[in-house]
Every structure is written in C-alpha cells, then in structure tokens.
Amino acid sequence: FRVGGKGQAGIVIPGVGDERLFAFIALSDGHAYIQPAGDNSSLFHNDERLTESTWLKSGDRIQIDGSVISWQVQGDRVLIEVQADSDIHQKNQQLQQFQPSAPQQPSTEPPHSRNDDLPVHTADTGQHKGSGRRRVFMIFVSTLLLVAGYLLIATPVVIKTQPEAAVVKMKGFPPPLSLWGSRLALPGRYTIEATYPGYTPLIEELDVVMGGMTDLSYKLTELPGLLAIKTSPEVPVMLTVDGAATTVDEAGRAEIARGSHRLRIEAERYLPYEQDIEIQGVGKVQQLLVKLIPAWTVVSISTKPENAEVIVDGKPAGLTPIQLDILQGNHNILLKKEGFKSVSIKQIIEAGKEINLEGIKLQPVDGLLVLTSIPKGASIMLDGKFSGTTPGALRLSANTTHTLQLSKAGYETTRQSVMLKPDEEKTVEVKFVPEYGTVFLTTRPAGATVVIDGKKSDKNNGRLRLTARAHTLTVSKAGYITEGLTIRPRVGVSQNINVELKTAEQLKTKKKGSASASVSDNSSTTTPAGQKMQLVNAGANLKMGASRREAGRRANESQRLVKLQRPFYFSRKEVTNGEYRKYKPAHDSGSLDGAALNGDDQPVVNISWDDAARYSNWLSKQQGLPPAYVEKNKKMLAVSPMTTGYRLPTEAEWAWVARRQDQKTEQRYPWLGSFPPKGKVGNYADARIADTLADVVPNYDDNFRGSAPVASFPAWPKGFYDLGGNVAEWMHDYYAVYPGEAKTLVTDPAGSASGEHHVVRGSSWRHGNITELRLSYRDYSSKPRYDLGFRIARYAR
C-alpha cells in the first residue's frame, strides 16, 4: 500500500497534496511492515520519528502531518483507521482485511507494486460502513491474487550441504519463502551462505530463473588443525611435516591437516626433534611442548703461556683461558700467539660431552740457521741426524742447545753447539781443513793415461798425495780395455795401487757349449757415484723376443737375431736415490699407494729419460770420458757413433744380461722354474698391495709394499740384481717393433735414430701377471713413472 495524497491510490491522508507520498505498507512472509518514503519529515511511529522499516503490530499508531493511522489486528482481520488529530474520538473508520502470516525479517527495500483497487476510508468522507466492507473484501481478493501470482512465478530451490547440519542462508530481494524444506524465490540474483563450526564459511552467488526446480549441493572445506608449538628453551624453530617444510607463525602455531603425521622440529644449535602426532583438524587447537637438547658441548682451553688467540674453523673465538660452546662435528682449533709456534688441533665434538684442552704448552718460534761451507757439499748432522748438505738452511727449536756436525770426505770434521732465540736468523760458515793420504801408483803397460776424479793426472806412476776421501781412478790406453777403480787414501797410511791393462782377447775365455760372457775380478769398474759395473763379453748370437706359442706373449715381442761384438760395462744394480742425488740433491722420488719410494737405497724413480741421460753425461764428465749424449732444445740425443761414455743400456744389452748371461739358451723368467715363482725371488706385485692392484702374483709376499732397497733379493744372473722386479728400467733405444727379423743377424743394435717413446724393459713392484713378469716383456714410455728407474752401461772400448 502507498500512504499519501489522493494521487497515490492507497491509504489517503486528508488535507495533504494529491501527489505527496509518505510511506509504504507491505508484507514480508505474511507479516506487515511500514517503510518510510522520500518525504518523512512529519512521519512518526508510536510517537517516534520513523526513519527505517519497522514491523507493524496491533495497537500501533502512525502520525502523519496532523492525522493518525491506527493499526488493529483482530483474529484474521486487520483494521486500519485514519483520523484527523483534532477528531481523534470520532468513529469514522476504514476496514481492510487480509490473512496475516508468521513474521520474518523485514525487507530493507520498499515494495514497488501498487494496489489501486483497495479503498481507503477517511473520517471525513461521510460514507456509511457498508461501503467500507466492500473495499476490505476487494483488498482480500487482491491479496489472494498477489499470492497466487507469486506462487506461479517463484522457483523452488533445494539446498543440500556436507556436513548436513550446516546453517544455510539465502539472501536477496524479494526475500525467498521457506516452504517444506525448500525455498521459493522469484527470478533474480541471490547469495548462498553456509556455515558450520570447524569448516570454512561458504559464500556462493546464485542466479534464479523462472520454471523448474533448482537442486544445489555444496561441500564445505574442513579447516586444518592448529598445532601450538612451545619449545624449552623458547627459540625460533623450523617445522617439517611428513618431509615438507611448514610455516610456523610468530605465535608458534602451524596449520596441519587432520590425520597422522611425522613432525621434525629443528632449531639452530639444537639437536633435531622428531615425533609422530595425530592432528584432530576442524580448526581445533592442540598443544605440543618440546624440550630441545643442545647440539654443542663445552670445550675448555688453556695454554702456557696464556692469552693465545683461539680460532675455531677459521673464526676468532677469544683468548685463553676460555670456555667455548662448540657444535658437534669435526672442528679445527688453532692456537696462535706472537713469538710461539701455532698449534692446530683437529677435534671431534660430541653433544653434551665436555672436553678439556688444558695446559697446552706453546713452543717458541724456531730460529733459522743458515749453513755454508768451503768447499760446499758437506754433510750436515744435527743432533745426530742427517739434515742435508751445504749450503743449507735449518729450522732449530729456540732456546735449546743443538749439536751441529759438518763433515766432508778428505777434510777434517767440525763440531759445534748452537742455540738460537725465537725467530732469530744466524749464519754459520765453515772453512774445511783438508786431510791427505799417500798413494803409490804403478800402471802397465807404460804410457797409460791416468784420470783422477775426471781430471787428467800429470803422473801415471809414482807417489800421489790425495785428500782422504773416495777418488775415481781411470787408467786407459789405446788397444786396451779401460780400467776404473775407486781408491780411498787414509791419513797417515800409504797405499800401493797396481793397475795392469789387458786387451779384449786376453780377457775373453772360451767355454765349450756355453754362451756366457767372461767376467773376472779384473773386469769390473766403479763409477764416480759409486756404482759397481761388470764387464760383459757376449759369446754367441742372441734371439730376442718370444715364440708365438709362449704363454703371455704380446704382439710387440716378435723375434730378432742380434750379436753383441763390443764389450760393455753393465751396472750390477739399479741407480739409487742416494747416487742420483749426488748429481741432483733436491730430487724426491715421492710415494704411491701408501708406499714410500724416496729412501737412499731405493731405486730412483719419477725421472724422465732425458734426466737419466743427463745423469749419464754427468758421470762421464766426472771421469773424463766423452759424453754419450748431447742436448738440443732441452732434449737429449745420442752421439753417433756411440762413445765410451756412460749411457743407458741398449735393449739388446739388457736382454743379453737378463736372458743369456751364464746360460746356454734364452731364459723365460728372472728365476728358475715356471710361473708363479716359488720363494722370495724378487719384488713384484704381491699380497701387500692387493688392496690397490688387481693383478698380483698368487700366494706371494716379498715383504715390500713398494720398491725395495736395491739388491734385496738374490742376484740373477750371477752378479746382477733386480733385472726382474723392483722397478722397470729405461733403455737407450727409441721404441719400435721389428717384424720379420727372426733370421736377419743385426750387430750391436742401438735402436732407431728418432722416435716419440723409449723402450722400457723389466717388470716392477706394480707388475704381477705372467705377461709382465716374463723377461721378453716389452713396454715403452715418454713420461716418468713411480715404478720406472734405470741402470747404466758404457762400452769398454
């Protein structure tokens, strides 16, 4: 209904303009309410200004511009009476009837439908009561028509939810009617709201269209549970749930889905904490109290003297004495103090186990002693231990008395005590006083040349005054085999030395059915470095290589027929580290696979072929022999024709000594018998290095993991050591293969004139199979190796 002037065709207020509109009276779910229109300045409800929609109940009075509307509900009838304020007691009434319904929430929007057929009675019309009843009847009919129209247009809406007990609201205009578990809604847009404790509220927009039925189902999302984590002590934590990182808010709470989970809680400097937990979910809050266990331990450190700087894993931590909380694990603790040696401690820390590093004595910084001597090359003994040769520099512990001894062959030994202050540098120079001995030399035949320590002597007979040390003496004459020997003059003692040179024919002996070389006590020599060398005269042809039928044979072992005509000296042993360091004092053979290789008596290794050739030239220079090699562009090349200087053995010379010396036929192994060897016959790959090498000699143990001191095993052949085992050996020859030469005799072969690799012969301490241990095994290399050394040879004439 419209409430205003006559032009509004509703409830007419007397005495106002026809087009004035004060309010609307409408129904919501069968319950009446009044809503102000635009002009509400003089509109009151029960004597209070009406500014918003208000329910109407029996007995209400509505005051409008000097008039009063009375609202009376009697059973199923509503009586509406409009009276002027001055005539409040007159009985001019206006009755309008309709069926009331149970009240619902009022709509905030005014109704827009007009009811032009409902008569409005005012107190001053003068019409009788019969006319009023007809108008009430018409209102009733109109209301029924409105309800029928609403039912025809409205659409039933059925809403189902999971969980079923969720509270559902459907909001929109016109408000839907609830009817038998469904809602009747006019076409338009509505909002569906569903709520249930422990679930996320649901809000959905719905467009209702005319016709049919709308059946809707909604599933509310369950809220996760809230786990409130409190740690003792209270520290920030990192949380993983079933292996996935999970956020923990500032209050220590984490959202976790309902169900069983594995928690891992980590905090800096504490041990990780793990626990299985059942989360209830649906927004419920659960408490978890975790007692964290420290991941560190207390380390107490003190030093003598105090105030040493403590550095843990590279980070300064303070001065001693000190107690530190250090996390578990492996740590490096460094103690430093000026004027003292630093102390480095590798410490394993276990959480909760206190560690005391107390009373650590710091040693003063070493002093530096620089030693020189005239002549140089003196041996240095410090506190009874060999410490190198002069010139040299030694670090000595400070504030301690040390015994220093310098000695050199042929000179008086000097001894003195030395004490250095911390970080002191001191230089000591020793001028040696020579010691002399007398040697009476006799040589035959007359006219022989005598070379002493590489220098030609002006005497070849008579009295020689020499320093009391080892001297290399070489006696030579054209047509005779050169003799070399080492003499050691002694102070106060005279020695007689007789040297008689012989021709090759005089030395050669013939033995029926034997192809051995003749070796006598007069047919040996010693190098300036002290190596013993044996004269070899080959007496027959040599068949190098191996038959195709030989087990373990390789393709590069094709057979060759050679003959060695020139007699040659062949060293009995491999060159040692000590001997090589007389030429190059700083050489270090190193170590490999847990085996030390640098002992003075061990064979020298880790040297190139060129360095072996340079060493040979150095020997020749010491003895006054022509060099066997020349150096061009930092590469050593053999002199052609070959001289009598020291050199590496040719492959043919090595094969003769290893396979035919004192033998009728070529030998297969460097021992008597078959493979594997019986007894300790050489240094090969054995049980001691089986943890590193795949191929080792079965059931063999030679007592050495790496190389052995030279001549540690029986000589084979007689007078020669380690031709099998210990270290492989550089040969003079460039590497090549020689197919088709089994019947072509070659005399004194020395290999190709050029090449990329050099031949390597003999097995080593890293060889253990039948291929490598045979004497015909051929290898090659262009680089140094940990198991590759050499021995020396030279022509006798």
Side-chain angles (χ1 to χ4, degrees):
F1 300 96
R2 292 173 180 266
V3 180
K6 293 180 180 179
Q8 297 302 324
I11 299 176
V12 177
I13 304 300
V16 300
D18 292 344
E19 299 303 318
R20 290 189 68 181
L21 176 63
F22 294 97
F24 299 93
I25 294 178
L27 296 175
S28 176
D29 286 347
H31 192 73
Y33 67 95
I34 184 169
Q35 181 172 311
D39 184 2
N40 62 357
S41 61
S42 58
L43 180 61
F44 293 83
H45 176 255
N46 294 333
D47 300 317
E48 291 183 0
R49 185 180 298 279
L50 186 63
T51 60
E52 60 184 8
S53 299
T54 302
W55 295 111
L56 290 175
K57 58 186 180 297
S58 182
D60 283 353
R61 297 169 66 253
I62 301 160
Q63 296 119 324
I64 304 175
D65 200 20
S67 298
V68 176
I69 301 175
S70 296
W71 186 271
Q72 295 291 332
V73 179
Q74 296 180 357
D76 58 352
R77 296 189 305 165
V78 175
L79 303 179
I80 301 172
E81 182 179 25
V82 180
Q83 295 177 316
D85 206 22
S86 60
D87 195 20
I88 193 67
H89 299 295
Q90 294 182 8
K91 299 300 181 182
N92 188 5
Q93 307 180 43
Q94 195 172 29
L95 299 176
Q96 301 181 39
Q97 299 181 24
F98 53 88
Q99 290 295 117
S101 302
Q104 300 291 328
Q105 292 294 327
S107 172
T108 59
E109 294 292 328
H112 298 286
S113 61
R114 295 170 61 115
N115 190 349
D116 297 329
D117 298 328
L118 182 62
V120 178
H121 295 260
T122 62
D124 58 353
T125 60
Q127 296 179 357
H128 54 78
K129 294 182 180 179
S131 176
R133 291 191 181 92
R134 286 196 299 273
R135 290 197 177 190
V136 171
F137 176 75
M138 293 180 68
I139 292 173
F140 174 73
V141 172
S142 298
T143 302
L144 291 177
L145 291 174
L146 287 173
V147 172
Y150 184 91
L151 293 175
L152 289 174
I153 299 172
T155 298
V157 178
V158 178
I159 301 174
K160 298 177 181 178
T161 61
Q162 284 186 303
E164 295 181 358
V167 175
V168 180
K169 294 181 180 180
M170 184 174 178
K171 295 182 178 181
F173 184 83
L177 297 176
S178 297
L179 185 64
W180 301 308
S182 64
R183 290 169 174 80
L184 294 177
L186 293 178
R189 171 157 289 197
Y190 293 84
T191 300
I192 306 299
E193 296 180 358
T195 59
Y196 192 77
Y199 290 79
T200 303
L202 179 141
I203 300 178
E204 294 283 346
E205 294 294 329
L206 173 64
D207 289 323
V208 176
V209 297
M210 187 170 60
M213 176 182 287
T214 300
D215 196 346
L216 303 174
S217 294
Y218 296 102
K219 184 176 182 180
L220 278 65
T221 302
E222 184 181 291
L223 290 172
L226 280 176
L227 181 64
I229 302 172
K230 186 175 182 180
T231 61
S232 176
E234 293 185 6
V235 293
V237 299
M238 294 175 290
L239 174 65
T240 56
V241 179
D242 302 328
T246 303
T247 301
V248 178
D249 64 18
E250 294 181 356
R253 296 175 302 180
E255 292 185 347
I256 305 175
R258 179 162 56 94
S260 298
H261 299 281
R262 181 69 175 177
L263 305 184
R264 180 180 175 89
I265 297 173
E266 297 177 86
E268 188 176 357
R269 297 179 57 81
Y270 290 87
L271 296 177
Y273 174 87
E274 293 192 2
Q275 177 181 328
D276 292 321
I277 192 169
E278 188 73 26
I279 299 297
Q280 297 174 7
V282 294
K284 292 184 179 180
V285 179
Q286 296 173 249
Q287 301 287 336
L288 178 63
L289 179 61
V290 177
K291 185 175 182 180
L292 297 175
I293 300 175
W296 67 83
T297 196
V298 177
V299 180
S300 301
I301 306 172
S302 65
T303 59
K304 296 181 180 180
E306 296 182 343
N307 295 319
E309 183 181 8
V310 181
I311 300 173
V312 180
D313 299 329
K315 296 180 180 179
L319 301 177
T320 60
I322 193 173
Q323 284 189 333
L324 299 173
D325 292 341
I326 302 180
L327 292 175
Q328 67 177 2
N330 297 328
H331 297 276
N332 185 66
I333 302 173
L334 181 65
L335 306 177
K336 295 175 62 177
K337 185 175 178 65
E338 186 175 356
F340 294 85
K341 296 179 183 179
S342 297
V343 175
S344 181
I345 302 171
K346 294 188 181 299
Q347 185 68 49
I348 299 175
I349 304 295
E350 295 183 34
K353 292 186 178 180
E354 293 190 6
I355 295 175
N356 292 320
L357 302 175
E358 298 181 343
I360 299 174
K361 189 174 182 180
L362 302 181
Q363 300 297 328
V365 175
D366 291 341
L368 180 65
L369 180 64
V370 180
L371 294 172
T372 61
S373 67
I374 302 175
K376 62 182 179 180
S379 297
I380 303 171
M381 297 290 289
L382 180 66
D383 296 330
K385 295 182 179 179
F386 177 73
S387 301
T389 58
T390 59
L394 304 177
R395 285 282 178 187
L396 305 185
S397 56
N399 301 329
T400 303
T401 300
H402 298 276
T403 301
L404 182 67
Q405 175 181 303
L406 279 77
S407 60
K408 186 173 178 64
Y411 299 88
E412 295 180 0
T413 298
T414 65
R415 297 178 179 84
Q416 58 181 292
S417 297
V418 179
M419 178 183 289
L420 299 181
K421 298 177 181 178
D423 217 19
E424 178 186 2
E425 182 174 329
K426 184 177 183 179
T427 300
V428 173
E429 181 180 76
V430 175
K431 294 182 179 180
F432 283 105
V433 177
E435 291 182 320
Y436 292 95
T438 300
V439 173
F440 291 93
L441 177 65
T442 301
T443 63
R444 287 187 294 272
T449 299
V450 176
V451 176
I452 301 175
D453 297 333
K455 296 181 180 180
K456 184 178 179 181
S457 174
D458 56 355
K459 293 182 179 181
N460 58 12
N461 281 285
R463 182 176 179 273
L464 300 176
R465 186 169 181 262
L466 302 174
T467 54
R469 64 178 180 85
H471 296 273
T472 300
L473 184 70
T474 303
V475 181
S476 61
K477 186 174 183 177
Y480 291 84
I481 294 175
T482 300
E483 285 289 342
L485 64 156
T486 300
I487 57 176
R488 298 179 183 273
R490 291 181 291 170
V491 177
V493 178
S494 297
Q495 297 182 54
N496 295 317
I497 304 296
N498 298 313
V499 179
E500 182 177 357
L501 300 181
K502 294 184 179 181
T503 65
E505 293 297 325
Q506 290 174 325
L507 288 177
K508 186 183 294 185
T509 60
K510 295 183 179 180
K511 188 181 294 184
K512 187 175 181 180
S514 172
S516 66
S518 65
V519 178
S520 68
D521 292 339
N522 296 324
S523 59
S524 63
T525 185
T526 303
T527 74
Q531 291 108 330
K532 296 290 185 181
M533 301 186 71
Q534 193 78 25
L535 182 67
V536 178
N537 279 292
N541 294 344
L542 169 67
K543 185 180 291 185
M544 298 177 64
S547 167
R548 292 178 181 272
R549 295 186 299 273
E550 184 173 304
R553 178 190 184 273
R554 299 206 312 172
N556 66 353
E557 298 174 22
S558 54
Q559 292 184 318
R560 301 172 62 198
L561 190 61
V562 302
K563 185 173 184 178
L564 304 178
Q565 289 185 331
R566 294 180 68 177
F568 59 93
Y569 287 106
F570 195 86
S571 61
R572 294 178 177 178
K573 305 173 186 177
E574 294 160 334
V575 177
T576 66
N577 287 308
E579 293 163 347
Y580 188 79
R581 280 196 277 261
K582 292 180 180 179
Y583 156 67
K584 185 177 285 188
H587 177 74
D588 185 349
S589 287
S591 62
L592 181 68
D593 296 333
L597 307 174
N598 203 39
D600 280 348
D601 293 332
Q602 289 176 280
V604 64
V605 293
N606 269 335
I607 61 168
S608 66
W609 183 93
D610 291 301
D611 280 339
R614 291 185 183 99
Y615 174 80
S616 300
N617 275 3
W618 176 78
L619 288 177
S620 298
K621 182 179 179 180
Q622 300 301 306
Q623 196 166 323
L625 296 174
Y629 304 98
V630 294
E631 186 163 3
K632 291 184 179 180
N633 298 323
K634 297 183 179 181
K635 296 293 292 181
M636 303 299 290
L637 302 175
V639 174
S640 183
M642 295 177 69
T643 69
T644 56
Y646 289 100
R647 56 177 171 78
L648 299 172
T650 67
E651 185 179 11
E653 290 170 345
W654 188 95
W656 174 273
V657 175
R659 304 189 66 187
R660 284 295 305 274
Q661 183 75 6
D662 295 332
Q663 303 296 323
K664 294 182 179 181
T665 59
E666 289 77 13
Q667 298 301 297
R668 180 173 298 185
Y669 302 107
W671 63 79
L672 288 174
S674 59
F675 182 87
K678 304 295 189 298
K680 297 178 181 179
V681 295
N683 183 20
Y684 307 109
D686 63 351
R688 292 180 183 252
I689 200 169
D691 60 332
T692 300
L693 300 178
D695 287 334
V696 297
V697 180
N699 304 315
Y700 190 73
D701 184 357
D702 55 36
N703 293 331
F704 295 97
R705 181 175 176 86
S707 65
V710 297
S712 294
F713 298 89
W716 180 264
K718 183 179 180 181
F720 298 96
Y721 298 89
D722 300 319
L723 285 165
N726 222 15
V727 294
E729 299 173 12
W730 285 115
M731 297 291 106
H732 173 86
D733 312 41
Y734 281 110
Y735 176 76
V737 293
Y738 304 95
E741 295 189 11
K743 296 182 179 180
T744 302
L745 183 64
V746 180
T747 302
D748 293 327
S752 301
S754 62
E756 182 179 354
H757 304 279
H758 283 87
V759 176
V760 174
R761 292 300 297 264
S763 53
S764 78
W765 59 273
R766 293 180 63 82
H767 293 149
N769 61 45
I770 191 172
T771 293
E772 298 161 338
L773 267 58
R774 295 174 306 113
L775 290 171
S776 60
Y777 172 68
R778 299 181 77 224
D779 199 359
Y780 60 88
S781 184
S782 60
K783 297 179 180 179
R785 288 185 350 211
Y786 284 95
D787 68 334
L788 176 56
F790 71 102
R791 69 178 73 221
I792 53 174
R794 71 178 180 88
Y795 281 126
R797 56 183 172 84

